[in-house]
Every structure is written in structure tokens, then in C-alpha cells.
Amino acid sequence: MINILLIVLTAIFIIESIFEVRYFAQIRTIFNQSGRAQPTKRIQRIIMIETQWSWISWIFLLLLFVLPNTYTAILICIITFIETWVVYELYNAREYAQKINKK
């Protein structure tokens, strides 16, 4: 049963990673097309969090190969939870960027 849960969480993480890259690229494109030199402070904060999370998630993923099976389930849950939060923030930042750049 735990193996099925881990497979599902891993699949969710991979799907969310695809959306994370997509939203990040869309935010960059919105600001490049709008002619703004700098994104707003809110968008800058989200971009900084996303960049830091990218590095931290790679460390977590590498730890999955080193840690015993007992900790793997906990680590996958943590990784998926944080990835969900980052994708949610990127989605909100994209919507905010589109809104302020339409003015």
C-alpha cells in the first residue's frame, strides 16, 4: 500500500514540476513583453523562492537514493507538499503579473 502512495506522490511531483517550469517561463514572458525593466516586488519574491526551491528539491531528490526506505516516504511527502505550494504561488504570481501588465 505504501508503494502505491509513493508512486502516486512521485507522479504528482513530476506533473507539478512541469507546471512549475511552465508558469515560471510564462511569468518571464509576461514581463519581457510588457516592457517593464523589473518585475514587481511580489513577483521577485516568488521568483526567488522558486529558484531556491529548484536547488533544494534537487538535493532532496538525491537524498532519496541515499536514505533508507523508512525516510523515503516522509521525504516524498515533504517534497510534494512544498512543490504544490510553489506551483500555487507561481500560478497566483502569473495571474497577478497578467493583471498588472494589462493596465
Side-chain angles (χ1 to χ4, degrees):
M1 185 66 178
I2 191 75
N3 288 337
I4 294 171
L5 175 66
L6 295 179
I7 290 170
V8 169
L9 287 175
T10 303
I12 291 170
F13 174 77
I14 291 169
I15 292 167
E16 286 179 340
S17 294
I18 293 167
F19 279 99
E20 177 185 4
V21 170
R22 185 172 164 227
Y23 290 154
F24 186 74
Q26 288 174 352
I27 290 170
R28 292 258 186 219
T29 302
I30 289 168
F31 280 101
N32 287 340
Q33 291 176 349
S34 72
R36 281 183 180 244
Q38 291 283 359
T40 62
K41 295 287 184 191
R42 177 180 176 187
I43 304 296
Q44 286 178 347
R45 182 183 63 83
I46 300 300
I47 289 172
M48 182 187 69
I49 289 170
E50 194 281 331
T51 305
Q52 290 173 347
W53 170 243
S54 291
W55 285 103
I56 294 168
S57 68
W58 277 106
I59 293 168
F60 280 158
L61 290 173
L62 292 174
L63 283 174
L64 286 175
F65 295 107
V66 178
L67 292 174
N69 289 340
T70 309
Y71 299 109
T72 302
I74 295 169
L75 193 58
I76 288 179
C77 289
I78 292 170
I79 289 172
T80 305
F81 175 74
I82 296 172
E83 185 74 14
T84 302
W85 178 74
V86 169
V87 169
Y88 175 76
E89 289 292 328
L90 282 171
Y91 174 79
N92 288 337
R94 183 193 68 169
E95 295 298 315
Y96 178 74
Q98 286 175 339
K99 184 177 129 186
I100 65 170
N101 285 315
K102 285 185 181 179
K103 293 181 180 179

